[in-house]
Amino acid sequence: MSQIESVLVENRVFPPSEEVVKRATISGMAAYEALCKEAETDYTGYWGRLAKEHVVWKQPFTSVLDESNAPFYKWFADGKLNVSYNCLDKNVEAGLGDKVAIIFEADGGAVSKVTYKELLSRVAKFANALKAKGIKKGDRVIIYLPMSIEGIVAMQACARIGAIHSVVFGGFSAKSLEERILDAGAVAVITADEQTRGGKNIPLKPAVDEALTLVGANSPVKTVIVAKRTGGACNMVAGRDVWWTDAEAGQSDVCEPEWVEAEHPLFLLYTSGSTGKPKGVQHSSGGYLLHAALTMKWTFDIKPDDVFWCTADIGWVTGHTYITYGPLACGATEIVFEGVPTFPDAGRFWKMIQDHKVSIFYTAPTAIRSLIKAGGDLPKKYDLTSLRLLGSVGEPINPEAWMWYYNEIGGGRCPIVDTFWQTETGGHMITPLPGVTPLVPGSCTLPFPGIQAAIVDETGHELEWGKGGFLVVKKPWPSMIRTIWGDPERFKKSYYPEDLGGRLYLAGDGAVRNAKTGNFTITGRIDDVLNVSGHRMGTMEIESALVANPLVAEAAVVGRPDDLTGEAICAFVVLKGSRPSGEDAKRVIKELQDWVGKEIGPIAKPKDIRFGENLPKTRSGKIMRRLLRSLAKGEEVTQDVSTLENPAILEQLKQAGA
Ligand code: WTA
């Protein structure tokens, strides 16, 4: 039985306990339904009310939603605010100055803490350093930093002066960095000498140097600020590169926030789509902040005494919303972790939960699956009784992993919020609320109040419950993507396609609702996007990287199910020379894997590479991807292959390359 089938027949239900309901901010199904009803009867009234209650405005808005240029929607457009003010000053002014904002645990185990007051002065000081370098409102700044307090300071400092940050995950290559620098037209890069993960030092600054060499003579980048993490060797280019501490020297730790319009872009975050290059998803300031704060309060039910830990990296959207912005906007205490879950052993997460008395823990199914495999008994060695709520994000969680998480980590006491959302949505879209929703392993259950999710067919008609189709959102919502940076047409085509009538947001995922409960289950991407360990990868991107190698004539990339990573990347490759075998094939596979690692980043390396003299194509010359998917899975080929020019290549492609 496939994973999806097993989710659809899942009949275990876990209603919230009385104690959880009593404590929860949104308490009981009736309260949830009342919110949904309020949104349905007065959509703008509902979001307007919440935006007044959960965001501090310098200048209040009078317009809630402007649809005049749909699908380029505007929210709270005449309001002004500053996101960093909402995350820092607001809390200090409310008397939380001495509360710990961040507990940072380094890869090697060293712990440091920063209070709200300290974080505010560090952000202000660094914001002044950025200003002194001529960086101003609207400028784009690339952040290529490890998980660190500096990473959060850099992001918040950009927000403070109205600069638009674009964080690039430290696992991306120099080539990927170059593409993003150019696309964003960045004026500055903030990086570190090296990062430390699993006891190993990995250089970062050399990748920036390489990227800037690739960018070439007319580089828009005037400044590179380098944080010292390990003291590893760094080549500092005079006039361009400056150490973080030197940039800060002499700067005041007071910085008046730049009050920006609600629609002013807070950040760009590059993500993979089905075609071409990664796209710069543009988010707003006001609407984004509202949803970050609201989902912290309703989905995570955050309370003043909680210790919140989201294990994502700030290079992904989860790290933006649930590390840099959401928890701080709520005055919470949160953990920031530099290392990896399996170092020094697979008990690291559980030890950290015990040591820091974590009460809310948010991680990805891929981490759960790998920790079950690497040390399923390890949680028993630690005291996990501080936990009261668990979360999952990034990919579908299989019911078995869900049950293990629920019993072994949550002790059968803690609700699991399986939160479905995307880089483009800014925050949770479909998710249980702990004090409301009966949980079903493998289902993200019901829409967040006010989010009008539905399932439609290929013409945009809503389907009855029980029928699978495309997941859409029927109405704009405050934290939605505003556009693709520099490419508004691609934004429209990707997310508001005319086939569906041009007014439905197309998520790119398939989904089905349970015929009785209406619970949503995500059945996987409907486009050529893979989800490997919760990381989004475009098959076309990997194909372009492969064919850029001088050995390669043609390549097709598909996903296949993988017990650990959810999906694994499988590449079918035609070489310009003859089809390699034996040791020769092994050598070419290694070479191509390393090549993709350099072109995109290690996370994009194909796990499985197979060689053929050709690829299977239809009469019109289209690659038969479905057939390749069957081959990758090792399934019997049931498709019609009578049109294949050379059926013998199927035999070749069935064979793993090495
Ligand atoms: C998938 C991550 C099932 C989905 C926040 C989506 C999920 C893509 C879930 C977005 C979930 C995310 N259940 N699938 N709870 N959460 N996905 O942009 O395919 O990195 O479209 O955002 O991850 O990935 P992204």
Side-chain angles (χ1 to χ4, degrees):
M1 190 159 58
S2 79
Q3 187 179 315
I4 291 160
E5 284 161 19
S6 73
V7 171
L8 295 181
V9 299
E10 176 65 58
N11 50 24
R12 286 171 286 200
V13 180
F14 300 82
S17 70
E18 234 171 79
E19 198 194 328
V20 171
V21 175
K22 226 166 75 198
R23 198 188 152 138
T25 300
I26 308 300
S27 179
M29 189 53 93
Y32 169 80
E33 282 169 351
L35 288 167
C36 297
K37 186 94 194 290
E38 183 190 345
E40 220 158 275
T41 36
D42 179 10
Y43 196 64
T44 53
Y46 171 79
W47 286 115
R49 171 174 78 76
L50 294 170
K52 280 183 199 136
E53 288 172 9
H54 298 273
V55 173
V56 178
W57 299 88
K58 180 72 173 176
Q59 177 183 303
F61 56 87
T62 59
S63 146
V64 174
L65 172 61
D66 175 358
E67 300 185 89
S68 58
N69 188 25
F72 300 92
Y73 299 100
K74 288 185 181 154
W75 285 90
F76 320 119
D78 57 351
K80 281 193 168 180
L81 78 161
N82 180 278
V83 171
S84 124
Y85 174 87
N86 270 270
C87 294
L88 302 170
D89 314 55
K90 179 190 79 185
N91 295 320
V92 173
E93 286 163 20
L96 297 179
D98 293 324
K99 181 173 178 178
V100 172
I102 297 174
I103 303 172
F104 174 72
E105 184 164 319
D107 187 57
V111 174
S112 45
K113 296 183 182 178
V114 196
T115 65
Y116 272 94
K117 214 159 54 192
E118 289 161 351
L119 190 60
L120 172 59
S121 45
R122 287 187 63 171
V123 167
K125 196 171 185 118
F126 193 65
N128 284 327
L130 294 177
K131 284 209 277 195
K133 287 282 165 196
I135 299 164
K136 54 184 192 310
K137 180 181 174 194
D139 284 345
R140 276 81 58 208
V141 174
I142 297 272
I143 297 178
Y144 189 60
L145 279 170
M147 285 299 290
S148 53
I149 294 174
E150 284 74 14
I152 292 162
V153 168
M155 292 166 82
Q156 288 280 351
C158 286
R160 193 158 193 93
I161 64 171
I164 304 167
H165 61 68
S166 185
V167 184
V168 177
F169 175 58
F172 278 116
S173 67
K175 187 86 202 312
S176 295
L177 195 52
E178 176 221 7
E179 275 172 21
R180 287 155 174 78
I181 289 170
L182 281 175
D183 191 82
V187 301
V189 177
I190 305 171
T191 189
D193 50 359
E194 297 188 311
Q195 57 179 329
T196 298
R197 284 166 71 82
K200 285 200 247 9
N201 293 347
I202 308 158
L204 281 177
K205 174 66 166 49
V208 174
D209 293 339
E210 199 184 327
L212 290 175
T213 306
L214 290 168
V215 169
N218 291 325
S219 172
V221 174
K222 304 293 173 238
T223 307
V224 177
I225 301 180
V226 188
K228 205 171 258 180
R229 171 63 186 91
T230 61
C234 259
N235 171 38
M236 300 293 280
V237 175
R240 187 195 73 184
D241 300 357
V242 55
W243 291 106
W244 179 296
T245 42
D246 292 341
E248 277 187 345
Q251 296 298 336
S252 152
D253 63 359
V254 177
C255 174
E256 170 72 9
E258 176 85 31
W259 305 104
V260 301
E261 312 75 51
E263 282 297 316
H264 181 68
L266 178 65
F267 65 87
L268 311 179
L269 187 57
Y270 285 82
T271 188
S272 295
S274 52
T275 53
K277 287 187 186 305
K279 41 196 178 185
V281 171
Q282 179 181 320
H283 275 290
S284 70
S285 298
Y288 172 82
L289 179 68
L290 168 61
H291 207 57
L294 197 60
T295 49
M296 282 302 300
K297 292 175 189 172
W298 291 4
T299 311
F300 292 125
D301 196 41
I302 192 93
K303 297 280 160 51
D305 54 355
D306 275 312
V307 176
F308 180 82
W309 184 14
C310 165
T311 68
D313 190 285
I314 50 166
W316 309 110
V317 74
T318 308
H320 283 58
T321 309
Y322 299 108
I323 295 178
T324 303
Y325 293 113
L328 299 179
C330 297
T333 296
E334 66 170 328
I335 309 285
V336 172
F337 176 44
E338 179 183 43
V340 297
T342 47
F343 177 81
D345 63 43
R348 183 69 181 265
F349 276 1
W350 324 133
K351 180 170 189 308
M352 283 180 61
I353 290 172
Q354 168 183 286
D355 290 353
H356 302 298
K357 301 200 168 41
V358 172
S359 56
I360 307 175
F361 180 67
Y362 191 37
T363 196
T366 193
I368 297 168
R369 287 192 300 266
S370 72
L371 293 177
I372 295 173
K373 199 167 165 212
D377 287 338
L378 287 173
K380 292 200 172 41
K381 288 175 56 184
Y382 299 97
D383 177 6
L384 303 178
T385 52
S386 58
L387 287 169
R388 69 175 185 90
L389 183 61
L390 302 173
S392 170
V393 60
E395 52 178 322
I397 179 164
N398 43 310
E400 294 333 304
W402 195 101
M403 288 306 307
W404 184 87
Y405 196 28
Y406 188 76
N407 288 320
E408 302 302 318
I409 306 306
R413 298 171 287 112
C414 307
I416 299 177
V417 289
D418 175 358
T419 59
F420 168 84
W421 59 296
Q422 309 175 292
T423 304
E424 293 87 341
T425 70
H428 304 153
M429 298 299 279
I430 307 179
T431 176
L433 302 186
V436 171
T437 324
L439 306 171
V440 179
S443 167
C444 53
T445 72
L446 296 171
F448 191 84
I451 300 298
Q452 314 265 340
I455 296 172
V456 301
D457 65 16
E458 59 282 351
T459 62
H461 284 103
E462 201 161 336
L463 293 167
E464 60 190 277
W465 293 4
K467 291 222 163 90
F470 301 156
L471 178 64
V472 297
V473 187
K474 296 194 283 187
K475 284 195 171 171
W477 67 101
S479 66
M480 66 189 296
I481 172 175
R482 293 308 196 262
T483 187
I484 292 175
W485 180 256
D487 200 349
E489 274 311 304
R490 188 169 171 203
F491 163 78
K492 268 213 272 203
K493 276 225 301 266
S494 310
Y495 302 109
Y496 285 91
E498 287 303 326
D499 298 354
L500 302 186
R503 286 293 175 273
L504 296 175
Y505 169 84
L506 180 66
D509 282 290
V512 56
R513 299 189 77 162
N514 182 285
K516 277 202 223 95
T517 58
N519 276 340
F520 284 77
T521 291
I522 306 298
T523 53
R525 298 287 304 191
I526 54 169
D527 52 11
D528 293 318
V529 170
L530 306 183
N531 192 323
V532 183
S533 298
H535 298 154
R536 256 167 87 166
M537 303 295 331
T539 52
M540 305 286 182
E541 252 174 279
I542 306 170
E543 287 168 11
S544 318
L546 283 167
V547 295
N549 184 289
L551 295 176
V552 176
E554 204 176 6
V557 168
V558 299
R560 67 164 161 77
D562 184 282
D563 283 348
L564 220 53
T565 56
E567 272 187 298
I569 303 170
C570 182
F572 295 89
V573 173
V574 183
L575 295 185
K576 285 178 188 156
S578 58
R579 178 172 176 264
S581 59
E583 284 306 310
D584 209 21
K586 274 193 194 155
R587 192 182 45 74
V588 182
I589 286 171
K590 172 89 179 34
E591 188 175 330
L592 293 180
Q593 285 171 330
D594 290 347
W595 173 270
V596 173
K598 274 196 86 84
E599 287 284 301
I600 305 175
I603 51 172
K605 283 186 184 178
K607 183 166 183 185
D608 187 354
I609 297 186
R610 303 182 188 190
F611 299 104
E613 280 157 11
N614 205 339
L615 296 175
K617 290 181 188 148
T618 62
R619 255 180 234 279
S620 59
K622 269 184 90 165
I623 294 172
M624 298 170 80
R625 285 174 186 279
R626 262 204 8 215
L627 195 154
L628 291 178
R629 269 180 226 125
S630 302
L631 289 176
K633 271 194 233 172
E635 279 176 359
E636 270 314 300
V637 172
T638 54
Q639 292 94 335
D640 179 12
V641 291
S642 57
T643 57
L644 279 182
E645 292 158 43
N646 176 7
I649 59 165
L650 288 188
E651 280 312 310
Q652 297 178 354
L653 296 174
K654 268 186 200 165
Q655 296 162 25

